[in-house]
Amino acid sequence: MNPFEKYSAEMTNNMLDLTVLEGSYLPEIFPHREREIDLMAKTLSSVFHNSRPSNLLIYGKTGTGKTSTTTYVTKMLKEKDPEGIEIFHVNCQVYDSPYSILVEISNALTQIDEDKIPGLGWPMDRIYSELLKRMNRSRRFMVVVLDEIDKIIKKNGPDALYVILKLSDDSTVTRTSFIGITNDTGFLESLDARVRSRLNQESIMFPPYNASELRDILTLRISNIAMSKPIDDSALNLCAAIGAQEHGDARKALELMRIAIEVSIRDGTKKVTDKEVYRARDKFEMDVMREAIATLPPQSKMVLLSAVVTQEMDSSMMFTGEIFENYKSICRELGFAQLSSRRVSDILTELEDFGLLTTSKKSQGRYGRTRFIRVAGNYFDVKRYLVEDKDLEKFRGTFLGKQARIDTTGPSDSLPYEKIDEKIRDIWDATTLE
């Protein structure tokens, strides 16, 4: 039997269209964004007076409606004069260089495949001049929306944005305005004086939603769903509260509600309650790293724990030998059998393949080149996830030492690790007894 039969039948019986709760959905009404919409419309309306509007810079945290509101306003602008206005929406996460952005805009101005500019191969000045020709031939007012505009600067430097903004001055017939969208409030400070002068923007800040505003948004969206089961007010309030905790993130609140409804459908419950919302949150916030660590074999967990405590002690000494010595101490403390150094080295490679460690080659002078290891992500979190394991929860940090390197070029006072460890333990025991 096809495993999807059961769930597809449940969805068919409920006949719910949950697209209104997706981040890509563009509503007709934007609660609590009336002021921002009016400011944008007031600025862009200059085109109807045969004047080029100021450029706009839209600020706001994730999920505050920057992109959807801008898409809505530019859509309404296009509807007002469909023959005289052209809108280009460019995501700078995808098109992250001046070359790719200019090619994207240029190709959008032609419907003939033979006239499309290839993604690679043309010199920059040729693309620029060809785009100017196409802009002037169109004789339309153009609005270019640069979503995630800060990504261009971070990858290519301020000159990249300078080239794009120069279009508005060099297009002799077409009037062009730019709308930049960013969640980086320090974006302007990252620009040099030339680019800031050319940008010459008006700024609009999108404040985070509070819980009450998020509840209004949720209520409006679910009113468009033909629900065969009720949604508790407490479930609505909970989704809104969780979204408000995440700096007023409407996207998260909507996604939680969508998942909660799907959970209710799959479980066959009579209504959507707090229970479904909490389950949705668990699914939404499942920590991938925590899940990855939980699935590791015990020995791999101990090797990873050794890497964590070695980095805690001295991040400059993250070598295979150091990690192996600390691994042996951890095995002694927790009562596990020890693997060979070769096998521990293999496990370190496996952990790197799993994305939990990163490695690079580092010169150690007379000791040659060796593998330098780092714990991926926040090693405090990794350690916290590791000690959730019942076999590792008793780990208290045995007194770990650093591996001594013996200089073979001449006499040395250095002692092998085991001797250093003995001396340190004697001092530790004496101090503890006092």
Side-chain angles (χ1 to χ4, degrees), residues 289 292-293 296 304 351-358 374-376:
M289 182 172 284
I293 290 171
L296 291 175
L304 181 58
L351 291 172
E352 181 187 9
D353 293 340
F354 209 36
L356 295 171
L357 297 176
T358 61
R374 300 285 294 180
V375 177

Side-chain angles (χ1 to χ4, degrees), residues 171-196:
S171 53
T172 55
V173 179
T174 300
R175 298 182 304 280
T176 307
S177 286
F178 294 90
I179 301 176
I181 303 175
T182 179
N183 57 11
D184 182 3
T185 55
F187 172 69
L188 277 179
E189 284 66 36
S190 68
L191 306 178
D192 59 35
R194 295 175 308 121
V195 181
R196 280 202 299 269

Side-chain angles (χ1 to χ4, degrees), residues 178-411:
F178 294 90
I179 301 176
I181 303 175
T182 179
N183 57 11
D184 182 3
T185 55
F187 172 69
L188 277 179
E189 284 66 36
S190 68
L191 306 178
D192 59 35
R194 295 175 308 121
V195 181
R196 280 202 299 269
S197 175
R198 225 171 247 290
L199 185 57
N200 191 28
Q201 87 295 336
E202 294 183 31
S203 300
I204 300 176
M205 173 62 75
F206 277 56
Y209 293 109
N210 60 37
S212 175
E213 291 168 342
L214 288 176
R215 192 185 192 287
D216 292 342
I217 293 170
L218 286 167
T219 302
L220 180 66
R221 294 288 185 96
I222 63 175
S223 67
N224 296 319
I225 304 174
M227 291 289 292
S228 59
K229 59 179 70 183
I231 298 176
D232 274 359
D233 283 345
S234 61
L236 267 178
N237 294 337
L238 182 58
C239 279
I242 292 172
Q245 286 178 343
E246 296 288 331
H247 51 254
D249 192 338
R251 190 180 294 119
K252 178 164 187 177
L254 291 165
E255 186 69 8
L256 276 175
M257 179 53 69
R258 183 187 66 79
I259 297 173
I261 292 172
E262 289 183 347
V263 167
S264 178
I265 292 170
R266 289 196 292 267
D267 291 352
T269 58
K270 294 181 179 180
K271 58 183 177 179
V272 180
T273 65
D274 291 2
K275 179 182 176 183
E276 284 70 37
V277 174
Y278 282 123
R279 288 187 59 192
R281 186 186 62 177
D282 292 341
K283 289 177 177 292
F284 193 86
E285 295 183 342
M286 183 187 73
D287 195 304
V288 176
M289 182 172 284
R290 172 182 277 161
E291 292 298 313
I293 290 171
T295 61
L296 291 175
Q299 288 287 353
S300 296
K301 288 180 181 178
M302 285 193 295
V303 172
L304 181 58
L305 180 59
S306 175
V308 169
V309 296
T310 305
Q311 189 163 328
E312 280 184 317
M313 290 166 56
D314 187 346
S315 61
S316 67
M317 299 300 290
M318 289 289 287
F319 307 116
T320 304
E322 302 288 342
I323 293 172
F324 178 64
E325 294 299 334
N326 288 333
Y327 158 79
K328 291 195 297 183
S329 296
I330 291 171
C331 286
R332 287 196 296 267
E333 179 182 346
L334 298 178
F336 278 83
Q338 299 175 12
L339 300 178
S340 67
S341 61
R342 181 185 293 274
R343 179 61 190 132
V344 168
S345 180
D346 291 341
I347 290 176
L348 288 170
T349 301
E350 293 168 6
L351 291 172
E352 181 187 9
D353 293 340
F354 209 36
L356 295 171
L357 297 176
T358 61
T359 65
S360 59
K361 293 292 184 180
K362 188 172 182 178
S363 174
Q364 291 298 296
R366 66 171 72 116
Y367 305 113
R369 294 178 63 80
T370 187
R371 183 167 58 163
F372 185 66
I373 302 166
R374 300 285 294 180
V375 177
N378 188 320
Y379 64 82
F380 291 111
D381 288 338
V382 175
K383 185 176 182 181
R384 179 161 53 88
Y385 300 153
L386 282 166
V387 296
E388 288 175 356
D389 187 294
K390 61 181 179 62
D391 293 325
L392 275 65
E393 64 184 2
K394 294 181 180 178
F395 175 74
R396 293 294 178 268
T398 189
F399 210 80
L400 303 168
K402 293 182 181 179
Q403 180 185 10
R405 294 187 177 276
I406 301 176
D407 187 347
T408 57
T409 60

Side-chain angles (χ1 to χ4, degrees), residues 65-90:
K66 305 183 301 296
T67 299
S68 56
T69 301
T70 301
T71 303
Y72 170 77
V73 170
T74 52
K75 177 187 173 186
M76 294 297 102
L77 180 66
K78 173 76 172 174
E79 285 186 9
K80 185 67 177 174
D81 186 3
E83 299 301 321
I85 296 173
E86 199 70 62
I87 310 295
F88 302 98
H89 195 112
V90 181

